[in-house]
Amino acid sequence: MPNHGHIMIRPHEGYPLEKIMHSIKSFTASEANRIIGRRGNFWMREVFDRYIRNADHYARAKRYIENNPVKAGLCNFPEDWEFSSAYRKTNE
């Protein structure tokens, strides 16, 4: 997505989600700023997390994430978005 990202992760015991997200956002902000030749803040402070409660919730959340680029008009099918797990499933 051009203005946000979705990930599904399961932290290992002893690795708090807050620290994992800080690492991800710090690394990607540094790389993105380097690529586009700028400095300063890159990501907003907000993180919207969800606790996955069961297999059905997991499937719905995954479907939502994979369909997000389609909803945004960036591709016609989830499999078309090269940065998606749907792409990897059908194009490997």
Side-chain angles (χ1 to χ4, degrees):
M1 302 301 298
N3 63 352
H4 68 282
H6 295 276
I7 60 172
M8 289 180 75
I9 60 174
R10 179 180 8 182
H12 288 279
E13 191 173 325
Y15 295 91
L17 181 61
E18 299 80 28
K19 288 187 177 185
I20 294 169
M21 290 308 302
H22 173 76
S23 293
I24 291 169
K25 290 174 85 173
S26 177
F27 176 80
T28 56
S30 295
E31 285 297 299
N33 278 337
R34 182 185 61 78
I35 290 167
I36 62 177
R38 69 179 288 272
R39 299 177 72 175
N41 293 337
F42 187 83
W43 294 109
M44 294 177 70
R45 289 188 171 268
E46 292 89 9
V47 173
F48 299 99
D49 60 345
R50 301 282 187 275
Y51 178 80
I52 301 298
R53 303 195 182 286
N54 55 43
D56 180 59
H57 187 197
Y58 174 85
R60 285 185 286 117
K62 186 172 184 221
R63 202 167 32 253
Y64 173 83
I65 291 169
E66 290 181 344
N67 279 295
N68 207 237
V70 177
K71 184 178 177 184
L74 299 170
C75 58
N76 292 321
F77 302 98
E79 309 79 55
D80 296 340
W81 189 245
E82 67 178 305
F83 307 105
S84 169
S85 56
Y87 179 84
R88 289 191 273 306
K89 284 189 285 192
T90 60
N91 295 297
E92 285 188 339

